[in-house]
């Protein structure tokens, strides 16, 4: 730090005796972290996969380097461009250190919270570090983007990996290069580092030898108590799922029941976080008889359960149970994320076989065409799938933490590094946040199911192409002629809006497409009583999303009222409310059931 930085008003001085004690304790806690990391290896239960991932990164970035080095003149020009900008930065920094004004050579995005502390701009040294980082990462990204002769998939992977490395190496992540962290450490005489190392040890232990970054206070939530607490009964159970029927809160309900098919990558209660945010509780209050599948957290005994099994033992078993408990042969169905992909494939299978039990379907942030599937496609090519399949073969499933990490990597500057810095350097436990608690409550995936999903959807896009088969039945989405409602979210990194928009056009019936603000979760969980985001409507999807949006009407507030109007219009007749405690199926237990409480 420069003299100017040292002499800033309020610059703290440590208690050196306390600092000495804290550093000794810090070393002790670091030993606990090492022990937690090594324990799975000593016991022969270490989780694999990291070596394959590192190998793919090295191979991909090696391809980029090879393309540049094959043309020495272009490589020299690229290096010269970086050198020139650094000379500009050095000259600018010298002027600032002499008390002159100088425009920055490069500035961070105004939304980049990593450099929000005023000293990043006011202190010439930290301003130099910040700009040097931004120049270097911008240059590296351009190398990946402009390398000639790379195929599209390799280029996409290279840019993604460059962003991950850039996020990890940000000066905001390290004490010595972050002015705010320096002040915190001096003010607390290193006590923050001791607390951080204690949390790091706990999180490595919780991850079974791998770091499971806490994003919320894990002790402040309990499923069934302050999460997933909408009243209801589990009315059916098999080895893949429990079926919850929720208790009515209106005297009359729509005749046609509603069946929700959530993703199995995460647990269903994203739709039932708490009374204020619960889509399920709200749907019940609108006069719907709501059933929801709660998928099991599978173990090695379910390794061979396939995508088709999830249709037969999940959706079909649920439809049978709904019919038995309500006497209704037709339902409306909602599929969320991969649950929606399964629902779409199921509808194509039903259409091919004359099965009319689902009379209308809603797809929430669901991809059926994976042409524009975004950064998750980085993880899908033949070599990577084979590596994952080999890993899954050892235990029969994919660890839930693997998918959770992949999702977090889509937004590392929001979902990874802020928590690492806050938890383990500042030593501050994260605030209780129900959505992020749910995000960390990951589930495993059966080997057969996950392999099918990666190959048939992400790698080959066979559902969109009409080449996916369940048994001897070829699945054609154009055969699905029931009314469908498709919700995309504008900032979705998991199911990009462009991808959802394109896929929605493959269905053969009346289609309603709605675009909501925000992302994959917040755009969906946007209750009318406390709306945070708007939505856009423009009828049937045609052409490209950008063209559709130009003519769309922006509507303030939640999309939920638009959806319930659509649902009610399909079948407006109402009947006496149905109590799950009084139906033909004997309740097995209270909601939320037992499967949702199985931890990864």
């Amino acid at each position: 730090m420069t003299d100017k930085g040292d002499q800033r008003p309020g610059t703290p001085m440590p208690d050196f005796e306390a600092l000495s004690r804290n550093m000794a304790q810090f070393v002790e806690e670091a030993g606990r972290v090492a022990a937690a990391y090594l324990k799975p290896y000593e016991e022969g239960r270490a989780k694999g996969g990291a070596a394959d991932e590192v190998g793919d990164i090295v191979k991909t970035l090696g391809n980029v380097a090879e393309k540049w080095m094959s043309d020495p003149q272009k490589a020299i020009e690229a290096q010269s461009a970086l050198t020139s900008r650094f000379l500009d930065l050095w000259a600018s920094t010298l002027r600032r250190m002499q008390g002159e004004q100088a425009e920055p050579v490069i500035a961070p995005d105004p939304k980049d919270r990593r450099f929000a502390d005023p000293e990043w701009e006011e202190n010439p040294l930290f301003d130099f570090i910040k700009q040097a980082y931004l120049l270097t990462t911008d240059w590296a990204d351009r190398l990946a983007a402009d390398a000639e002769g790379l195929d599209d998939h390799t280029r996409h992977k290279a840019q993604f990996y460059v962003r991950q490395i850039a996020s990890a190496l940000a000066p905001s992540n390290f004490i010595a290069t972050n002015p705010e962290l320096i002040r915190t450490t001096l003010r607390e005489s290193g006590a923050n580092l001791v607390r951080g190392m204690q949390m790091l040890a706990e999180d490595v232990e919780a991850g079974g030898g791998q770091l499971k970054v806490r994003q919320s206070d894990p002790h402040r939530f309990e499923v069934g108590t302050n999460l997933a607490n909408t009243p209801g009964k589990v009315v059916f159970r098999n080895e893949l799922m429990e079926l919850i029927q929720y208790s009515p809160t209106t005297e009359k309900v729509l005749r046609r029941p509603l069946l929700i098919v959530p993703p199995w990558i995460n647990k269903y209660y994203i739709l039932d976080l708490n009374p204020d945010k619960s889509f399920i509780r709200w749907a019940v209050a609108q006069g719907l008889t709501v059933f929801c599948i709660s998928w099991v957290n599978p173990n090695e005994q379910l390794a061979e359960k396939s995508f088709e099994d999830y249709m037969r033992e999940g959706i079909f078993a649920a439809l049978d149970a709904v019919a038995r408990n309500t006497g209704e042969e037709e339902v409306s169905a909602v599929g969320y994320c991969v649950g929606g992909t399964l629902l779409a494939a199921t509808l194509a299978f039903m259409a091919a076989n004359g099965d009319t039990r689902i009379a209308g379907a809603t797809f929430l942030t669901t991809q059926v065409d994976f042409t524009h599937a975004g950064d998750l496609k980085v993880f899908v090519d033949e070599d990577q799938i084979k590596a994952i399949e080999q890993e899954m073969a050892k235990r029969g499933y994919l660890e839930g933490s693997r998918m959770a990490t992949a999702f977090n990597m889509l937004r590392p500057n929001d979902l990874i590094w802020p928590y690492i810095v806050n938890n383990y350097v500042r030593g501050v436990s994260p605030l209780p946040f129900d959505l992020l608690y749910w995000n960390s409550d990951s589930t495993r995936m059966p080997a057969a199911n996950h392999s099918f999903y990666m190959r048939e959807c992400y790698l080959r896009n066979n559902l969109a192409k009409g080449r996916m088969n369940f048994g001897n039945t070829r699945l054609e989405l154009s055969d699905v002629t029931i009314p469908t409602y498709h919700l995309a979210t504008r900032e979705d990194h998991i199911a990009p809006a462009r991808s959802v928009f394109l896929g929605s056009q493959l269905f053969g019936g009346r289609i309603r497409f709605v675009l909501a603000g925000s992302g994959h979760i917040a755009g969906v969980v946007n209750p009318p009583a406390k709306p945070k985001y708007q939505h856009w409507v423009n009828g049937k999807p045609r052409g490209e999303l950008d063209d559709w949006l130009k003519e769309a009407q922006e509507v303030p507030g939640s999309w939920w009222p638009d959806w319930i109007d659509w649902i009610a219009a399909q079948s407006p007749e109402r009947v006496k409310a149905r109590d799950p405690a009084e139906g033909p199926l004997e309740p097995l237990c209270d909601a939320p059931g037992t499967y949702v409480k199985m931890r990864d």
Side-chain angles (χ1 to χ4, degrees):
M1 184 180 293
T2 65
D3 290 342
K4 180 180 177 181
D6 286 338
Q7 299 304 316
R8 284 185 52 150
T11 298
M13 290 295 292
D15 178 329
F16 289 100
E17 184 178 345
L19 180 62
S20 177
R21 290 196 305 269
N22 286 331
M23 289 304 96
Q25 191 174 353
F26 174 83
V27 172
E28 182 179 334
E29 293 296 335
R32 182 182 163 199
V33 172
Y37 174 76
L38 293 173
K39 185 176 180 180
Y41 290 91
E42 294 169 350
E43 297 177 352
R45 54 181 181 84
K47 299 174 183 178
D52 293 324
E53 293 164 1
V54 172
D56 190 68
I57 293 172
V58 172
K59 177 182 176 182
T60 301
L61 298 184
N63 286 337
V64 174
E66 181 181 338
K67 297 300 182 183
W68 280 99
M69 297 309 296
S70 65
D71 189 336
Q73 181 59 39
K74 285 195 172 183
I76 292 172
E77 291 173 359
Q79 183 64 48
S80 298
L82 179 64
T83 301
S84 175
R85 299 194 78 187
F86 261 93
L87 289 173
D88 292 340
L89 174 59
W90 182 243
S92 171
T93 302
L94 286 176
R95 288 198 299 273
R96 288 204 59 195
M97 296 183 75
Q98 294 169 0
E100 300 178 23
Q101 294 293 321
E103 288 296 318
V105 176
I106 188 170
D109 188 311
K111 297 179 181 179
D112 192 340
R113 292 174 291 180
R114 296 175 298 176
F115 304 108
D117 188 272
E119 200 165 352
W120 284 111
E121 183 174 344
E122 295 171 3
N123 187 310
L125 173 60
F126 289 116
D127 185 47
F128 176 85
I129 292 171
K130 174 190 68 180
Q131 292 194 59
Y133 164 76
L134 294 173
L135 285 176
T136 304
T137 54
D138 178 68
W139 176 77
D141 183 67
R142 290 177 183 274
L143 287 185
D146 297 340
E148 295 181 357
L150 283 181
D151 62 271
D152 290 342
H153 180 63
T154 301
R155 189 184 310 280
H156 189 183
K157 286 201 297 181
Q159 290 181 283
F160 180 82
Y161 291 147
V162 165
R163 289 199 299 273
Q164 300 306 313
I165 295 170
S167 296
L169 296 179
S172 53
N173 296 339
F174 305 98
I175 294 177
T177 53
N178 184 329
E180 186 181 1
L181 296 181
I182 291 174
R183 295 196 304 270
T184 298
T185 303
L186 292 176
R187 184 184 307 113
E188 299 197 31
S189 301
N192 55 306
L193 302 181
V194 176
R195 294 194 305 272
M197 194 59 67
Q198 290 170 341
M199 280 193 281
L200 181 60
E202 292 170 2
D203 292 351
V204 172
E205 289 171 354
Q210 295 182 345
L211 177 59
K212 185 175 183 179
V213 180
R214 69 178 77 183
Q215 297 173 316
S216 179
D217 185 340
H219 308 296
R220 297 287 293 275
F221 297 104
E222 183 179 356
V223 174
T225 301
N226 57 356
L227 295 171
N229 58 6
T230 298
K233 304 288 184 182
V234 173
V235 297
F236 177 81
R237 177 188 295 127
N238 61 25
E239 61 181 352
L240 269 188
M241 64 92 174
E242 291 179 329
L243 183 66
I244 303 168
Q245 180 180 349
Y246 290 93
S247 301
T249 58
T250 57
E251 291 185 5
K252 296 282 188 178
V253 295
L254 290 169
R255 173 181 289 279
R256 187 184 291 173
L258 180 75
L259 173 63
I260 298 175
V261 184
W264 52 86
I265 292 172
N266 291 101
K267 294 179 179 177
Y268 85 88
Y269 66 87
I270 185 59
L271 297 175
D272 189 26
L273 281 175
N274 63 48
D276 291 335
K277 299 178 183 176
S278 173
F279 175 82
I280 288 172
R281 186 182 290 259
W282 180 86
V284 169
Q286 307 311 303
L288 284 167
T289 303
V290 178
F291 291 81
C292 184
I293 290 173
S294 175
W295 300 106
V296 74
N297 196 354
N299 56 23
E300 63 278 359
Q301 296 176 349
L302 301 178
E304 297 304 317
K305 291 296 182 182
S306 66
F307 209 72
E308 184 176 343
D309 288 329
Y310 270 66
M311 175 185 75
R312 297 187 181 280
E313 299 176 39
I315 295 178
F316 283 176
L319 290 173
D320 291 342
V322 171
R324 289 176 61 190
N325 230 31
T326 66
E328 298 296 329
E329 294 297 328
E330 287 188 350
V331 308
S332 296
V334 173
Y336 191 178
C337 191
V338 68
T341 308
L342 174 68
L343 176 61
T346 299
L347 289 171
F349 182 89
M350 295 172 75
N353 290 279
D355 188 337
T356 59
R357 287 178 291 173
I358 297 178
T362 298
F363 299 94
L364 305 179
T365 59
T366 293
Q367 294 183 102
V368 295
D369 187 317
F370 290 75
T371 303
H372 305 298
D375 282 343
L376 281 177
K377 292 187 77 171
V378 164
F379 302 103
V380 182
D381 53 43
E382 189 61 39
D383 290 342
Q384 291 186 90
I385 291 178
K386 283 182 178 179
I388 292 174
E389 288 173 336
Q390 290 171 2
E391 181 185 344
M392 291 192 296
K394 298 175 184 177
R395 53 178 61 91
Y397 55 81
L398 183 71
E399 293 281 356
S401 58
R402 289 289 300 277
M403 287 301 298
T405 298
F407 289 144
N408 288 339
M409 288 173 70
L410 301 181
R411 294 167 53 201
N413 291 334
D414 295 321
L415 295 176
I416 298 178
W417 294 104
Y419 293 98
I420 289 178
V421 172
N422 197 63
N423 297 352
Y424 312 130
V425 185
R426 290 192 180 96
V428 178
S429 182
L431 295 172
F433 189 7
D434 49 13
L435 195 154
L436 289 175
Y437 177 88
W438 166 85
N439 188 56
S440 67
D441 192 7
S442 56
T443 58
R444 299 179 288 267
M445 281 146 283
N449 177 317
H450 195 59
S451 178
F452 181 94
Y453 177 56
M454 288 190 298
R455 289 188 176 279
E456 290 294 300
C457 294
Y458 274 95
L459 188 62
R460 298 171 183 155
N461 201 20
N462 277 345
L463 181 58
K465 296 176 180 177
R467 297 175 184 171
M468 183 181 286
N469 292 278
F470 282 170
N472 295 321
T473 301
R474 186 165 58 88
L475 309 182
E476 286 278 5
L477 292 176
S478 60
D479 292 341
V480 179
T481 57
I482 62 172
T484 55
Y485 186 107
H486 302 259
L487 180 82
T489 55
R490 196 165 186 177
E491 299 170 19
D492 200 328
H493 293 77
I494 295 172
R498 184 185 180 194
S499 183
V500 175
F501 183 83
L502 179 64
S504 70
Q505 300 177 49
L506 299 176
F507 291 81
R510 287 183 288 114
I511 302 167
R512 182 166 181 78
F513 179 85
V514 175
L515 180 67
S518 195
H520 192 72
I521 303 300
V524 173
V525 184
N526 185 29
K530 296 182 179 180
K532 292 185 177 181
Y533 309 105
Q534 73 280 60
H535 62 282
W536 291 264
V537 296
N538 187 17
K540 186 175 181 179
R542 298 182 181 87
E544 292 292 331
L545 175 62
D546 289 342
D547 296 327
W548 180 92
L549 189 56
K550 288 176 184 177
E551 303 297 327
Q553 176 189 357
E554 181 176 338
V555 182
S558 173
W559 60 271
W560 294 9
D562 180 84
W563 173 81
I564 194 64
D565 289 344
W566 181 86
I567 284 285
Q570 309 302 314
S571 179
E573 184 184 356
R574 293 182 181 260
V575 298
K576 182 181 177 181
R578 307 157 175 126
D579 188 337
E582 299 174 359
L585 293 176
E586 183 177 350
L588 303 177
C589 63
D590 289 334
T594 59
Y595 284 178
V596 74
K597 297 181 180 180
M598 300 169 65
R599 302 289 293 186
D600 186 16

